[in-house]
Amino acid sequence: MKRNLYLMYAIAFLQGMVFYGPVATLYRQAQGVSVFQITVIESISLILCILLEVVWGVAADKIGYKKTMVFCCALYFLSKIIFWRAEGFTGFLAERILLSVVISGMSGVDTSILYLSSREEDSQKAFGIYNSLGMAGLLAAAAVFSIFVRDDYRLSGLLTVISYGMAAVLSLCLTDVSPEGSTRINEEGFRQVLSDTFRSRNLLLFLIGAAFLNETHQTVTVFLNQLQYEKCGLGNAAIGTVYIAATLLGTCGAVSSRFTKRVGIRAAGVTFGGLAVGSCLTLAAAKSALPSVCGILALRISNSLFQPFQTEMQNRQVHTEYRATALSIHAMLLDGIGAGTNLVFGALAEKSLTAAFLFGAGICTAGMGFIWKWSRASE
């Protein structure tokens, strides 16, 4: 099964190579899309993910994880082609609709392949490497952007298309870890998985807390950070350099497992959440480039350490053979919360970036509290 791990690591690296990443918001604005429209598109995407999550989870458990992964990687490739040529709200909305199909399809499938292809005691380490290699891909792409691409936004889109095409080819070489027909879920099985999820108060606490932390990181480090940098007078070259630093720090997810084992689950969860709260408060108070950059970098470190932790804890709480279905239900809850927070972030950012960052600090505080309660109840 090591072959699967190496292939998944390579796919993560290639799909991490989003060459327009340093200017994702500016790229969209250059094509006539406003910040609020960006968050509206993001929320529509999350709503579609909610509607498709469970359908995809059931499908993955029926047809096998490899077939699901291959199909989604092919659609991912197509979505990047659409993004490369998109103009205006409609074009980017079309790209995001297709991306919703991909995200909901891969949700739980990629981590299930990793979890089932590694020894149980090494699974969090595998998740950490997987996430870190995604960050390494971003780092490589950001370096290329800063040195060669710079203001040529369309070229950055084309390079991303090429990288995702290579990832789609590699997915064909995966070995399925869910033999076709061995885990066919029926209506009774689906109802049981759904019931087990919503009756588990501890699991719901964890998922809500994780959603608050994840969506704050996603919105701030992908969209709002560039607006903050421009506000502080940073140009594209400087933004690209900071993006490289943030991406480099994103590879620290590889030490998440070691840190968690050393300090314990509860302390690790509170540490990751507390760092996110401090980051948002720093950004809310920042009026110059240095504290702004420090806030973004700290938020990236927090999320990079939290992601393998979250994935491991979610998988530990799945006690059914229908793993993809269960994880898709988890993702449905996460996306539902994210759809709401995105709209709030967008509306606040249109008026005041400070207000948006304070909102992030507030929901991160709540998220940290939920994870702390979950850890106590899980003991």
Side-chain angles (χ1 to χ4, degrees):
M1 291 298 181
K2 283 188 176 180
R3 178 186 175 185
N4 268 0
L5 293 178
Y6 296 144
L7 284 169
M8 290 298 292
Y9 294 159
I11 289 170
F13 179 80
L14 289 169
Q15 291 182 341
M17 296 184 75
V18 180
F19 291 87
Y20 56 80
V23 290
T25 300
L26 303 180
Y27 186 115
R28 291 170 170 88
Q29 286 183 321
Q31 304 305 321
V33 184
S34 70
V35 176
F36 183 69
Q37 285 178 325
I38 290 172
T39 56
V40 168
I41 291 172
E42 190 78 2
S43 294
I44 292 172
S45 173
L46 288 172
I47 291 170
L48 287 174
C49 285
I50 294 167
L51 297 176
L52 295 171
E53 279 288 357
V54 175
V55 174
W56 260 119
V58 173
D61 279 325
K62 284 186 176 181
I63 68 176
Y65 298 159
K66 176 185 175 178
K67 288 181 180 178
T68 304
M69 192 73 182
V70 169
F71 181 72
C72 289
C73 285
L75 287 185
Y76 225 160
F77 172 49
L78 179 59
S79 75
K80 295 307 175 186
I81 295 176
I82 294 174
F83 186 95
W84 170 43
R85 305 307 303 170
E87 292 183 5
F89 179 84
T90 305
F92 286 100
L93 176 61
E95 178 267 339
R96 204 66 188 179
I97 288 174
L98 183 57
L99 192 59
S100 300
V101 178
V102 174
I103 292 172
S104 56
M106 291 182 68
S107 174
V109 172
D110 56 350
T111 56
S112 290
I113 292 174
L114 289 168
Y115 190 76
L116 296 173
S117 297
S118 59
R119 294 180 301 178
E120 186 173 352
E121 63 270 21
D122 294 331
S123 55
Q124 187 175 348
K125 179 181 178 182
F127 297 142
I129 295 172
Y130 181 70
N131 291 338
S132 294
L133 283 171
M135 291 295 104
L138 276 173
L139 177 63
V144 172
F145 175 88
S146 296
I147 298 171
F148 300 108
V149 179
R150 298 195 175 183
D151 296 327
D152 192 344
Y153 293 170
R154 288 297 190 186
L155 176 59
S156 68
L158 175 60
L159 292 174
T160 304
V161 169
I162 295 171
S163 179
Y164 274 67
M166 294 170 64
V169 172
L170 283 183
S171 69
L172 296 170
C173 302
L174 289 169
T175 300
D176 209 339
V177 289
S178 57
E180 186 174 343
S182 65
T183 55
R184 288 187 179 276
I185 187 169
N186 53 29
E187 184 177 348
E188 182 180 351
F190 171 73
R191 287 180 178 176
Q192 186 61 50
V193 174
L194 190 65
S195 175
D196 289 345
T197 300
F198 282 93
R199 286 192 306 178
S200 176
R201 179 176 178 273
N202 291 345
L203 176 59
L204 292 177
L205 282 173
F206 179 81
L207 292 176
I208 294 170
F212 285 159
L213 294 177
N214 288 338
E215 291 307 320
T216 298
H217 170 267
Q218 169 71 9
T219 306
V220 172
T221 63
V222 175
F223 300 116
L224 302 187
N225 60 338
Q226 293 156 46
L227 302 179
Q228 179 72 6
Y229 295 153
E230 277 200 323
K231 176 182 172 183
C232 297
L234 293 178
N236 281 351
I239 290 174
T241 302
V242 175
Y243 187 84
I244 291 173
T247 305
L248 181 61
L249 289 174
T251 62
C252 70
V255 303
S256 175
S257 176
R258 188 184 309 170
F259 180 80
T260 301
K261 289 177 181 177
R262 176 170 296 182
V263 305
I265 290 174
R266 184 191 302 179
V270 171
T271 299
F272 304 151
L275 187 56
V277 173
S279 301
C280 289
L281 290 175
T282 299
L283 287 166
K287 298 185 183 301
S288 59
L290 181 60
S292 298
V293 170
C294 289
I296 295 297
L297 296 183
L299 190 57
R300 176 54 61 87
I301 292 172
S302 168
N303 187 259
S304 298
L305 292 170
F306 180 69
Q307 283 301 307
F309 174 87
Q310 176 191 338
T311 307
E312 173 71 11
M313 297 308 139
Q314 279 186 248
N315 274 279
R316 284 190 189 183
Q317 295 176 88
V318 173
H319 306 293
T320 174
E321 61 181 325
Y322 308 123
R323 181 170 297 275
T325 300
L327 292 174
S328 289
I329 292 172
H330 296 182
M332 179 182 68
L333 292 171
L334 294 168
D335 290 342
I337 295 169
T341 59
N342 271 329
L343 289 175
V344 176
F345 269 119
L348 290 175
E350 286 281 319
K351 298 179 180 179
S352 167
L353 278 176
T354 298
F357 292 137
L358 288 174
F359 173 70
I363 63 174
C364 283
T365 301
M368 180 176 61
F370 286 138
I371 290 174
W372 181 76
K373 285 187 177 181
W374 160 80
S375 65
R376 287 192 62 190
S378 299
E379 289 180 344

